[in-house]
């Protein structure tokens, strides 16, 4: 559920560690950039720890990024040294961007989320959603539509859209099996630890010698805002 706090201190630490040893965010940013003109302003909603926003800012894009979770925004500001991050709920946010960017946030097919997100864009919405079934607060798998289903949904609403499927590795590195078990319990609460432990590999990193492979498969959608 989007009004439930997803981040914990442990999840923040695990995510930051995975990011530090991964090209995931750089690769994702390189997939995003061809869609956006340099003169376009970007508004990222639900930015979390803000890695993609930091990279886009470093590539001279004009970007602002918001998240309702104060702790992750503080971590993003401290890590990046940038003032592009602010604490806000997108449903109450008064600003706009030429392009609204959402990464694993703002499920378009639920309630009226699509209209709400498009209302903050002057030009287009670039939405990225995971193809891995997440879980809501009741541990029920969430619906994650594939590319063709997503495009059909948007076109049925009279919107011009295009998209692609991406798979980018984002492996989690861990100190030992005890930490691996804790990570699995936190990340996959509806699964069995042993079903995930069998995939552990050597990371080749002295400080964090084991790794749980993670290949993030996702749909990227470019949705033009209708001209009134």
């Amino acid at each position: 559920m989007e009004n439930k706090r997803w981040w914990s201190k442990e999840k923040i630490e695990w995510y930051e560690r995975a990011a530090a040893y991964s090209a995931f965010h750089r690769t994702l940013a390189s997939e995003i950039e061809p869609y956006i003109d340099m003169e376009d302003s970007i508004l990222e909603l639900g930015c979390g720890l803000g890695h993609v926003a930091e990279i886009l800012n470093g590539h001279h894009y004009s970007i602002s990024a918001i998240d309702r979770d104060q702790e992750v925004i503080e971590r993003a500001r401290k890590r990046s040294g940038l003032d592009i991050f602010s604490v806000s709920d997108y449903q109450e946010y008064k600003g706009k961007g030429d392009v609204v960017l959402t990464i694993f946030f703002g499920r378009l097919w639920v309630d009226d989320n699509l209209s709400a997100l498009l209302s903050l864009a002057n030009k287009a919405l670039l939405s990225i959603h995971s193809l891995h079934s997440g879980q809501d607060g009741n541990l029920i798998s969430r619906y994650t539509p594939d590319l063709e289903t997503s495009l059909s949904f948007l076109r049925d609403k009279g919107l011009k859209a295009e998209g692609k499927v991406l798979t980018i590795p984002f492996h989690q590195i861990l100190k030992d099996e005890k930490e691996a078990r804790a990570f699995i319990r936190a990340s996959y609460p509806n699964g069995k630890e042993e079903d995930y432990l069998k995939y552990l590999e050597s990371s080749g990193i002295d400080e964090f010698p084991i790794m749980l492979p993670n290949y993030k498969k996702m749909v990227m959608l470019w949705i033009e805002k209708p001209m009134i």
Side-chain angles (χ1 to χ4, degrees), residues 164-213:
K164 63 194 298 186
V165 175
L166 303 172
T167 302
I168 307 174
F170 190 46
H171 306 319
Q172 183 63 56
I173 54 173
L174 299 154
K175 292 184 293 186
D176 49 34
E177 184 177 316
K178 180 180 179 180
E179 187 180 38
R181 288 181 179 275
F183 174 80
I184 291 165
R185 287 194 299 271
S187 303
Y188 311 104
N190 212 25
K192 296 179 180 179
E193 289 180 30
E194 301 302 326
D195 291 341
Y196 295 93
L197 288 172
K198 64 185 179 183
Y199 295 110
L200 292 178
E201 299 178 4
S202 171
S203 69
I205 301 168
D206 290 342
E207 187 177 2
F208 306 107
I210 60 177
M211 177 180 77
L212 184 63

Side-chain angles (χ1 to χ4, degrees), residues 82-96:
L82 298 173
D83 62 0
I84 63 173
F85 300 102
S86 59
V87 180
S88 184
D89 188 322
Y90 83 99
Q91 294 176 318
E92 301 170 358
Y93 192 69
K94 302 304 181 184
K96 284 193 173 186

Side-chain angles (χ1 to χ4, degrees), residues 100-167:
V100 164
L101 172 64
T102 62
I103 302 173
F104 307 150
F105 176 82
R107 297 153 67 201
L108 307 183
W109 49 92
V110 174
D111 299 327
D112 200 28
N113 287 356
L114 176 58
S115 296
L117 297 172
L118 277 172
S119 72
L120 298 177
N122 295 321
K123 179 178 176 180
L125 167 63
L126 202 166
S127 174
I128 300 169
H129 69 261
S130 174
L131 281 174
H132 298 288
S133 296
Q135 295 171 328
D136 65 16
N138 297 316
L139 306 185
I140 299 171
S141 292
R142 292 196 306 237
Y143 170 63
T144 56
D146 61 19
L147 177 59
E148 289 307 315
T149 302
S150 298
L151 290 174
S152 294
F153 165 78
L154 294 166
R155 290 166 182 164
D156 286 347
K157 291 184 173 294
L159 296 169
K160 292 179 65 176
E162 60 181 279
K164 63 194 298 186
V165 175
L166 303 172
T167 302

Side-chain angles (χ1 to χ4, degrees), residues 70-84:
Q70 184 169 347
E71 187 171 0
V72 295
I73 289 296
E74 289 175 354
R75 287 293 294 262
R77 289 171 178 164
K78 183 177 180 179
R79 185 196 66 247
S80 68
L82 298 173
D83 62 0
I84 63 173

